[in-house]
Amino acid sequence: SQKIEQNSEALNIQEGKTATLTCNYTNYSPAYLQWYRQDPGRGPVFLLLIRENEKEKRKERLKVTFDTTLKQSLFHITASQPADSATYLCALVRTGGSYIPTFGRGTSLIVHP
Amino acid sequence: SQTIHQWPATLVQPVGSPLSLECTVEGTSNPNLYWYRQAAGRGLQLLFYSVGIGQISSEVPQNLSASRPQDRQFILSSKKLLLSDSGFYLCAWSVQTGNQPQHFGDGTRLSIL
């Protein structure tokens, strides 16, 4: 069956360090992958999208990589700040599908001052 | 700019009571509309999606239903709530072309007593 796996344990890092979150998937042929941020009690907010033919995408302090051979995406936040503390969700959209993403459970990031 | 409104923000209902959650989108036309449920520690579960007025696709069989009486209005309903209906309900919209992100409302926290 199709699975999207994100680390269920919270990632704790010190302010200023680079946070790296992982999204692994099995039995998928994603056309593209999205990353969202979700704060407690709020809806997810879209951050970045990367297509299957793209290796890397950047936006300010954010960087996403997509390795279709490893079936993995990495999400990096450089120079992390306490305000980056949130849950980060990855979502996959299949090729030839209805373009509705399937979401992972998310990983909580806690940046300590 | 586009906005999405969901209400109420929180709701406490007894078992067996009816439910109506409303979602409206402004600033766009012909959006795809979605209802998700997010249980604690779990991913986003797609409940319903709609590509147009009166067109509803159900992803999970349950005692919930959805309706789209107007282009930018999406309603989630139940005739009789169950304890298992407790959760965080999120409405989202996206443009109809492919590879577009979803934009979420701030959700309704539903507690069934």
Side-chain angles (χ1 to χ4, degrees):
Chain A
S1 63
Q2 298 160 335
K3 276 177 99 173
I4 302 172
E5 293 179 348
Q6 293 187 259
N7 197 336
S8 58
E9 289 184 18
L11 177 63
N12 286 272
I13 64 168
Q14 286 298 124
E15 183 176 8
K17 301 292 186 183
T18 296
T20 298
L21 304 173
T22 306
C23 177
N24 295 304
Y25 59 93
T26 54
N27 298 325
Y28 259 103
S29 294
Y32 52 97
L33 190 148
Q34 303 168 342
W35 281 90
Y36 293 78
R37 169 186 172 139
Q38 186 174 22
D39 291 288
R42 306 293 297 272
V45 175
F46 170 74
L47 297 174
L48 278 171
L49 177 153
I50 186 165
R51 294 177 176 79
E52 60 178 335
N53 59 353
E54 297 176 315
K55 296 292 185 186
E56 183 179 297
K57 203 81 167 283
R58 291 176 185 261
K59 180 182 176 183
E60 298 172 352
R61 295 184 295 112
L62 309 180
K63 184 178 86 171
V64 172
T65 62
F66 194 7
D67 189 325
T68 55
T69 302
L70 292 178
K71 296 186 184 298
Q72 181 182 79
S73 174
L74 299 178
F75 177 79
H76 306 272
I77 305 176
T78 58
S80 58
Q81 305 164 0
D84 295 325
S85 299
T87 296
Y88 291 86
L89 310 173
C90 73
L92 274 67
V93 179
R94 285 197 296 272
T95 52
S98 56
Y99 296 110
I100 299 174
T102 302
F103 287 84
R105 295 186 179 190
T107 298
S108 175
L109 171 66
I110 302 168
V111 181
H112 299 274
Chain B
S1 64
Q2 302 92 357
T3 55
I4 180 168
H5 303 280
Q6 252 189 276
W7 65 93
T10 58
L11 190 59
V12 181
Q13 292 284 97
V15 170
S17 63
L19 174 74
S20 180
L21 301 181
E22 190 162 341
C23 171
T24 59
V25 180
E26 295 176 1
T28 187
S29 297
N30 304 316
N32 285 347
L33 296 172
Y34 312 83
W35 278 111
Y36 288 89
R37 178 168 57 206
Q38 188 175 34
R42 303 189 66 177
L44 288 168
Q45 179 187 33
L46 179 65
L47 302 175
F48 302 95
Y49 71 94
S50 172
V51 299
I53 296 173
Q55 300 179 62
I56 309 294
S57 296
S58 174
E59 291 295 303
V60 182
Q62 59 217 322
N63 69 320
L64 299 172
S65 62
S67 61
R68 184 171 178 173
Q70 299 180 48
D71 181 46
R72 290 168 289 178
Q73 184 185 28
F74 206 22
I75 297 171
L76 183 69
S77 304
S78 174
K79 291 181 180 176
K80 278 189 177 183
L81 286 166
L82 307 172
L83 279 174
S84 58
D85 291 323
S86 292
F88 190 46
Y89 288 82
L90 288 157
C91 180
W93 72 271
S94 69
V95 299
Q96 293 215 356
T97 52
N99 77 8
Q100 296 297 320
Q102 298 200 330
H103 306 278
F104 288 83
D106 275 338
T108 295
R109 175 74 58 193
L110 176 63
S111 300
I112 310 299
L113 302 179

